[in-house]
Structure formats: C-alpha cells, structure tokens
Amino acid sequence: MTDKKILNYDVVILGSGPAGFSSAIYSARGNLKTAILDINMFGGQPSNYLEIENYPGFPVISGFELMQKFEEHADKFGIDKYPMAEILKINLISEIKEIETADTIFKAKAIIIATGAQAKKLNIKGESEFIGRGVSYCAVCDGAFYKDKILAVVGGGNSALEEAMYLTKFAKKVYIIHRRETFRADKIICQRTCTNKKIEFIMCAQPIEITGNKCVEKLILKDLKNNKNIDLCLDGVFPYIGCTPNIDKFIGQIKQNADGYIETDINMQTSVEGVFAAGDVRNTPLRQVITAASDGAVAANSAARYIEILTQVTA
Ligand code: NAP
C-alpha cells in the first residue's frame, strides 16, 4: 500500500518545452485526459533563448514569451500541469505506465518523453569548481553580473555566437573560442558576430583549465596549431558546446542511439509500446523549436492511435 495520491491519465507528457506543449495541445484537443510534468518550471530550454527569429509567424520573439504562448494555448484545451515534479521512479514497460514523484503516482496509457537536452560540460579542470563564480551556462541569467568585465564563450554553434553577442551588452570584451577554423553557426549569425567590435575570435583553440582564487581569473587554452598554451586573463567563461539528452530516468528501459538520444521511428514511436519521444531528446537531424513542436504533434497523434487500439483490445 502507498499513501501517495494515484492519478490516472490517458497521456502523461514528460517535459514542457516546445515538444511537450505541442503534444499537450494535440493530445488534449483530441479529448485525451492529459498531464504534463517537468522537473523545472515550464518552458524548457527555449525559455532561455534571447531571441527566436525562425519560428514561423513570429519574425522576432523572445524564447520566454514564445513558450508562454505555447502554455497558454495548451491551457485552452484543459491539461493538468505539474511543474517542479521530480520523477523518482518510472515504469515504461508495463501496459499501464507508472511515474512516481514525491507525492503522486501517475498512471498513463501512453507516455510522451519530451525531456529535451541540457548544456554539455567542457569537463576540464576548474569548470565545476567555479560554477556560479565565473562559470555559467546561461548568458541571459548571469550576463548582467559581468558589467565591463572580460568574458569567454566557448563553442562555434548558434548558441555560442548568439550568447556572445548578448554578453557584449554588459562585458567590455568577449572572446569566442572555437576549436576549428569554421563555425557551425548559421551564416547570418556569423556575419552579425563578425561586425561586433567587442568580440575577438580565437580559432583552433581548446580550453584545458579554468583557474582563479575565489572567482575565475584565467582560462588556459591549447593552441591546436602549435600545441602551445595561451593564458587568457578574464572574469567569466560561458561554455556553449551543445547539448546532451535528458534521459537519466529511462536508461535501460528504452533504446538509445550511440550519442544517447532516444531512438524513434517517423511516428515518434520508441522501442517500447505506448512510449513516444519528441523533440531534442530523440534522434533527430535538426534541434529547433519548430522541429520539436512538429515532433510533439506527431507523438500525440501516434499516442492517440495507440490508445484507441489498446481500448478496443481491452474492451
Ligand atoms: P551545436 O550546434 O552542436 O554546436 C556546438 C559547438 O560546440 C560546435 O561548434 C562544436 O564544435 C563545439 N564543441 C562541442 N564539443 C566541444 C568541446 N568538448 N570543446 C570545445 N568545443 C566543443 O550546439 P548549439 O549551438 O548549442 O545548438 C544546438 C541546436 O540548437 C542547434 O541545432 C542550433 O541550431 C539550435 N539553436 C538554434 C538557435 C536559433 O535558431 N536561434 C539558437 C541556439 C541554438 P565543432 O563545430 O567543431 O563540432
């Protein structure tokens, strides 16, 4: 016997980014009793994006505002929302899936995993030690602390370049450190970064150590062309080197690809019946708000079909 509350749903969605809320909209609109859970506040990774300018219908919108719109839209169809709900145990394998949090057991006919991905660490000496004291993974959250300071952003993708530009609003100088000669970021973003006078590029260099006393004082780089070390005196380091999927709770129950992302077919079906995955957490060629939202719609539609068959079989 458990003294935990037991709640029954048709569909439980894990994660509240664009994939989560899009699947909630489709699921609830399809008349399925739907709950959405997130270990954090709602909105997922895009909530931290400064500006999104490639989501159709919104020439420019902040990630936070766009995600608020997603949530308001889902609310219209009636969903149950559980932010700050940490999953303690999960059983994906049984016909009725079970998700246990501190005070509740959620039972679901189908689950949609939309837990997204999180910032990758450089895994160098000093990185973990200086988190909150000069190492940050969120320019929007921490940029304002670095007025007139010197910063480094590591990475060559869209995130690194966009966040570096944002940081120039506060910092007097921002180094962009990239391990290759060419950037992965979109051309338009590269062009904008190149014309920003506060940005200095250090190409073909790899961070090897972060040092300091109370706070970050130095970033040591390896120049990959001549193998010599470069010491950069600075006040903060922002690694933006991509993401890793949030799948800790599902390991061993579901098939992942070599990089750890959940494998799905085109219907967002995972290796487990009744379990679907959508957005950045799955094997996908493009990780954008639009593709996550699209995945969410497909996943909810597949979940609805699955529940329909399940109900016919058990009737
Ligand atoms: P990303 O595109 O995967 O880029 C990661 C960058 O970090 C790459 O340049 C990579 O170098 C570098 N890197 C990876 N591991 C490293 C390591 N250990 N040490 C040093 N450098 C390392 O990641 P992202 O920029 O976070 O973007 C993720 C996804 O979100 C992308 O699809 C991106 O387009 C999207 N996004 C879109 C927007 C927007 O549309 N506004 C904004 C942000 C992100 P290499 O190039 O050498 O591999």
Side-chain angles (χ1 to χ4, degrees):
M1 269 304 276
T2 173
D3 54 1
K4 293 193 179 188
K5 218 171 10 182
I6 295 180
L7 298 175
N8 291 293
Y9 286 96
D10 292 315
V11 178
V12 170
I13 298 158
L14 308 177
S16 65
F21 271 121
S22 155
S23 53
I25 291 167
Y26 276 76
S27 172
R29 189 168 178 270
N31 226 8
L32 295 171
K33 193 176 177 209
T34 304
I36 185 163
L37 275 69
D38 200 305
I39 188 171
N40 296 310
M41 297 301 288
F42 285 149
Q45 275 213 108
S47 294
N48 295 321
Y49 293 173
L50 297 173
E51 281 181 352
I52 294 174
E53 55 181 21
N54 54 7
Y55 190 78
F58 296 91
V60 183
I61 187 166
S62 82
F64 183 76
E65 199 185 338
L66 183 61
M67 290 321 300
Q68 274 188 327
K69 287 184 186 292
F70 270 57
E71 184 174 348
E72 284 161 16
H73 192 162
D75 281 340
K76 194 179 128 184
F77 297 111
I79 53 167
D80 290 346
K81 300 190 289 184
Y82 303 91
M84 312 300 286
E86 188 186 357
I87 298 171
L88 301 179
K89 251 205 261 174
I90 188 159
N91 180 353
L92 298 177
I93 309 297
S94 56
E95 186 172 290
I96 296 297
K97 322 292 178 196
E98 283 193 8
I99 302 133
E100 195 172 329
T101 62
D103 54 4
T104 308
I105 296 173
F106 295 87
K107 296 195 176 205
K109 293 175 187 156
I111 287 189
I112 297 174
I113 301 173
T115 45
Q118 61 175 292
K120 253 197 217 161
K121 306 277 183 295
L122 283 162
N123 287 325
I124 57 171
K125 208 165 156 207
E127 184 182 22
S128 308
E129 191 184 330
F130 285 108
I131 290 176
R133 295 187 294 129
V135 172
S136 169
Y137 304 88
C138 180
V140 182
C141 322
D142 297 331
F145 296 125
Y146 293 93
K147 202 162 176 339
D148 295 326
K149 303 284 187 196
I150 301 177
L151 301 175
V153 170
V154 184
N158 282 333
S159 298
L161 271 59
E162 284 189 349
E163 303 305 323
M165 275 192 289
Y166 175 74
L167 288 169
T168 60
K169 287 184 181 188
F170 311 100
K172 66 177 174 201
K173 179 174 197 145
V174 178
Y175 294 103
I176 294 181
I177 293 151
H178 183 37
R179 63 185 178 183
R180 289 190 295 128
E181 295 270 15
T182 51
F183 288 114
R184 186 180 289 270
D186 298 341
K187 277 207 171 66
I188 187 168
I189 295 174
C190 294
Q191 279 160 4
R192 283 178 198 157
T193 321
C194 286
T195 56
N196 189 317
K197 292 198 167 57
K198 284 189 177 178
I199 292 179
E200 182 177 330
F201 297 96
I202 303 182
M203 308 300 278
C204 300
Q206 182 69 34
I208 51 173
E209 189 177 349
I210 298 168
T211 64
N213 285 311
K214 285 189 181 149
C215 295
V216 167
E217 290 173 8
K218 203 189 277 180
L219 175 64
I220 306 172
L221 307 173
K222 168 88 60 201
D223 183 329
L224 299 174
K225 285 190 195 140
N226 59 19
N227 245 0
K228 289 193 175 141
N229 284 2
I230 306 170
D231 285 0
L232 285 183
C233 290
L234 41 62
D235 307 286
V237 180
F238 286 74
Y240 275 102
I241 59 165
C243 297
T244 172
N246 296 319
I247 39 88
D248 294 10
K249 303 289 173 190
F250 321 112
I251 287 173
Q253 296 191 49
I254 204 159
K255 202 165 170 200
Q256 298 162 245
N257 71 8
D259 297 322
Y261 291 93
I262 296 176
E263 284 199 355
T264 66
D265 64 12
I266 55 167
N267 298 312
M268 308 301 141
Q269 169 69 60
T270 70
S271 57
V272 181
E273 276 210 343
V275 180
F276 305 86
D280 287 8
V281 75
R282 78 173 192 97
N283 55 326
T284 172
L286 188 60
R287 293 191 166 82
Q288 298 277 298
V289 176
I290 182 79
T291 49
S294 161
D295 279 5
V298 176
N301 184 55
S302 301
R305 284 170 191 272
Y306 168 78
I307 291 171
E308 210 177 292
I309 294 165
L310 188 74
T311 316
Q312 282 164 8
V313 171
T314 50

